[in-house]
Amino acid sequence: MKIAFLGAGALGCTVGAALTEGGHETWLVDRFAAHVEAMVRDGLQVDDEAGTRRVKVRATMNPSEVGPVDLVIVLVKSFHTDSAMRGALGLVGPDTVVLSLQNGLGHEDVLSEIVGRERVLAGKTYVGGVLRAPGHIQSGVTGKLTIIGELDRRISGRAWAISEALNSAGLTTTVSNNILGTMWDKLLINVATGALTGITRLTYGQLYDEPVLKATSLAAIDEAIAVAKAAGIELSIEHAEDAWNMAAEGLPSAFKTSMLQSLEKSSVTEIDFINGAVVRWGARLGVPTPVNSTLVACIKGIERAMTERQTEGAAL
């Protein structure tokens, strides 16, 4: 299968390296020049439980270099989804499928407006990765599940074909007839810790040592569960405490959420597609979401202060 990753950060490279080693023609498309140049020059250095190795990957900043593919896996930051996909239409041929594995909710609607809803699949992955340096990742694949599915809940041949490609590369993957429920399950886990760590700047170990923060997390998760139930979403996570526990499962105490990592890099976050999605759905369905609204407001305030500091620095 010919596969292009639109967004080749830590997660894109982790999955992309596995698919490359699995024999698929895999392209890593990213706008981070130093990262792409390092991969083209030296290959991708992958550190995992098996040790360290270099994988000869195909990497580019120019989607037109790749041409049409069988599958586009979208892993750009949420706020770049529209511009990234519009700039990569050269990847889309007559039979191309576009699969989002991004965190949060709403990407499928954005992608559908650009390439047509009939092309779009949704998915969630628990695979992990950390970008150590340009061209160098820490990979966490073993025992991590990826779930994909059709937006209309069909079990389709193309979904099975994609799952078989991923499974053949050692990426444990299943096809769901309730992908929206799967997406909400993952959203609950993101709601549990992301905004709180971004606001407090705490690692997982520090966060889980603070009972008052746990209480805030549980309240935010309860709101999200109430919104999902009002929307008729079938969840597999029924209790806030379960999402809180699952969020830290298998992670070291020094681990930092992607939201905290973004703020530490002075980058805007994906808050609008995580806690912000809970607030939007709640408003639409008449379900109050005061805790999530407060978390969104706090992150927006931090982003505003960060932007003003950058502007002031540039003016000096």
Side-chain angles (χ1 to χ4, degrees):
M1 187 174 282
K2 185 178 180 181
I3 302 168
F5 282 80
L6 190 56
L11 183 54
C13 283
T14 296
V15 180
L19 285 165
T20 298
E21 292 181 307
H24 298 278
E25 182 185 342
T26 307
W27 287 85
L28 303 175
V29 182
D30 201 89
R31 62 178 190 167
F32 182 11
H35 183 44
V36 171
E37 288 166 4
M39 290 190 288
V40 170
R41 183 182 63 248
D42 304 319
L44 176 65
Q45 182 176 332
V46 179
D47 300 341
D48 59 19
E49 67 272 19
T52 298
R53 64 190 181 281
R54 288 197 178 272
V55 180
K56 186 172 177 55
V57 295
R58 299 174 177 88
T60 182
M61 295 179 65
N62 183 9
S64 64
E65 181 184 338
V66 181
V69 299
D70 300 309
L71 174 65
V72 178
I73 298 180
V74 182
L75 278 168
V76 295
K77 290 293 187 182
S78 299
F79 43 83
H80 290 315
T81 303
D82 185 273
S83 60
M85 192 69 249
R86 291 187 189 280
L89 290 177
L91 299 174
V92 181
D95 301 311
T96 302
V97 177
V98 178
L99 168 65
S100 168
L101 290 179
Q102 298 155 284
N103 280 331
L105 294 176
H107 311 95
E108 293 72 25
D109 295 332
V110 174
L111 294 169
S112 294
E113 289 182 6
I114 301 168
V115 302
R117 197 168 182 83
E118 71 282 356
R119 291 187 184 275
V120 178
L121 268 68
K124 287 297 168 211
T125 185
Y126 293 87
V127 167
V130 177
L131 186 64
R132 296 296 188 194
H136 180 191
I137 61 162
Q138 177 76 41
S139 169
V141 169
T142 304
K144 303 297 185 180
L145 180 64
T146 299
I147 308 166
I148 65 171
E150 296 279 358
L151 299 178
D152 62 6
R153 302 186 63 151
R154 290 181 299 118
I155 300 294
S156 66
R158 65 184 186 177
W160 277 116
I162 293 167
S163 72
E164 287 174 4
L166 292 168
N167 277 306
S168 71
L171 299 157
T172 305
T173 305
T174 63
V175 178
S176 172
N177 64 355
N178 179 30
I179 196 62
L180 195 56
T182 297
M183 292 162 66
W184 272 89
D185 285 336
K186 181 69 185 292
L187 184 72
L188 297 180
I189 291 170
N190 293 140
V191 164
T193 60
L196 278 174
T197 60
I199 294 163
T200 62
R201 304 301 175 102
L202 297 179
T203 65
Y204 262 52
Q206 294 166 330
L207 174 69
Y208 278 73
D209 276 342
E210 290 292 339
V212 68
L213 294 177
K214 177 181 178 180
T216 303
S217 172
L218 296 181
I221 300 165
D222 275 330
E223 287 180 0
I225 290 173
V227 171
K229 288 182 176 178
I233 305 296
E234 299 171 25
L235 298 171
S236 65
I237 299 173
E238 296 184 356
H239 304 290
E241 186 91 25
D242 295 335
W244 167 259
N245 292 331
M246 290 172 67
E249 207 168 69
L251 295 174
S253 62
F255 185 83
K256 296 179 180 181
T257 65
S258 59
M259 197 167 296
L260 175 53
Q261 290 180 54
S262 292
L263 291 171
E264 288 184 338
K265 295 173 187 173
S266 297
S267 172
V268 295
T269 72
E270 297 178 300
I271 191 71
D272 286 333
F273 290 81
I274 301 174
N275 304 77
V278 176
V279 174
R280 285 194 303 277
W281 280 61
R284 191 183 313 148
L285 296 164
V287 179
T289 56
V291 177
N292 281 282
S293 295
T294 301
L295 293 173
V296 171
C298 289
I299 292 291
K300 291 288 188 182
I302 293 170
E303 291 177 345
R304 170 69 182 269
M306 179 181 70
T307 301
E308 291 193 354
R309 285 195 301 272
Q310 291 171 336
T311 303
E312 290 169 1
L316 295 177

